[in-house]
Amino acid sequence: ERLVEDLAPERSMARHPLFQVMLTVQNNTAAVLELAGVRAGGAAVSTGPLMARFDLEVAVTEASGADGGPGGLRGWVTGAADLFDASTLEQIAGRLVRVLETVTADPGLRVSEVDVLDAAERHQLLAGWNDTAVEMPSALVPEMITAQAARTPDAVAVTCGGEQVSYAELEARAGRLGRYLVGLGAGPESVAGVCLPRGVELVVALLAVWKAGAAYLPVDPGLPADRASFMLADAGAMCVLTVSAAAGVLSRLDGPAGRVRVVVLDDPGVAAAVPGSGPGLPVLPVLSAGQLAYVMYTSGSTGTPKGVAVTHANVAALLGQTRPVFGFGPDDVWSFFHSFAFDFSVWELWGAILSGGRVVVVPFEVSRSPEQFLSLLERERVTMLSQTPSAFYQLMAVEECRLAAAAGLRAVVFGGEALDPGRLADWWAHDGAAGPRLVNMYGITETTVHVTFQELDAGDAAAGSVIGRGIPGLRVLVLDEWLGPVPAGVAGELYVAGAQLARGYAGRPGLTAERFVADPFDPA
């Protein structure tokens, strides 16, 4: 109390103001003290149920042996009931015992080498929670779209405002533009920038780049010119596709980017040069799984922005492995809400088309108005909605009940930023039981959009940002700085293994996935 009074630390009702964990070691109290006319000794006292004074308290007492000498240690662990349940306290006590046994047997052991996991915990972390093996897709996304166009040529693939294209038309238009790009020199491992506003033409152009065997580089028309210049030069783009209305940023390119060929798709000369159909046309290359599919730049918040090099195998793994989780198919309608320079768009756009569904491209001005966006969801009968949590909070504020009941949603997928489940409490109170599935997903650009998923319910309202378990086909571990798995609930760094790991960073061959001698997933 005196320390608290003198130090005046910042107070919180959630924790003790000075420390949260106390360790108490009592010396042997059973020793007998002989004095003239007096014989004193200790006796065990049963204290009954203990009151937790701190978040966690570990008390250890020396025990006497049969001859009155040292007989070992006895102890107990007490925890605040609102923070720890009995099983967690038992695990903590068990780990402490394993540490003591290990260092007693080998006092020269480094602390970092002490293993606190028992066999059951290790198996759960390495195998039980990572039993995610699935059969990998045998086809790449462009090939799957071609097959879908053959199956359902007249089905609507993409809509935006009053414009729509069928699968057959999408396939034909992308093929024609792809052949034009081949004539410009596009091919495997080349990069073509795409600087287009949201619309049907954007989807056609992205697929056309893939048809040409190249990788697309998203260049949002709203980017500053210096950022666009950096990305085009850093990725080594051979050209950039745009239209007159979005070409402003490209007119201000400088440095090496100023020499990149700008293809204005609505220019009459370019439109006339795009080949039609028939013999003698440029041949579209055959794709391979390891080829680049897109290069997407990080924000640069931790330094210089880096272009993440994602392959066709990575994209096929993402969509093929998440499809069983959500069961999406030809009856689903997806919203293409986010910027195509944000990796969430890969999931929104290609997840819809490869499954034979319909994707609704959300105009930029509609994406900035929760009221207009809600009307679009209802009008288009969107079933699969992907949202950053902050965007969804704004959508909820418009009218929660109407959002769940009238829009026909069957799943809302969160990603891109940390979710606060507490802000969904009103949702569950009004529409939770009858509304769509709410799924929180976590991932980064280097792992091809998504890594983990967690289906949410009302019980998660009091939790933090729960990211759940690895999606099928990925293995996920939390490791310490020595690459050892940490127990559940212990902080560490997230490691991911599987087919979605990107190749590396464009133009930076030294920055690739590191290879470690010790495999954390090997139980040995």
Side-chain angles (χ1 to χ4, degrees), residues 271-294:
V274 173
S277 58
L281 297 175
V283 177
L284 297 177
V286 177
L287 298 176
S288 66
Q291 283 177 212
L292 272 184
Y294 62 82

Side-chain angles (χ1 to χ4, degrees), residues 428-451:
W428 281 306
H430 289 89
D431 303 299
R437 297 168 63 187
L438 301 186
V439 182
N440 191 30
M441 302 191 80
Y442 165 82
I444 56 175
T445 310
E446 288 87 343
T447 56
T448 316
V449 189
H450 294 312
V451 171

Side-chain angles (χ1 to χ4, degrees), residues 195 221 223 225 242-253:
C195 182
L223 280 178
T242 190
V243 290
S244 302
V249 64
L250 302 179
S251 66
R252 302 189 301 276
L253 296 177

Side-chain angles (χ1 to χ4, degrees), residues 9 34 188 285 301 317 364 456 501-502 523:
E34 297 283 358
S301 58
F364 178 79
L456 304 169
L501 296 187

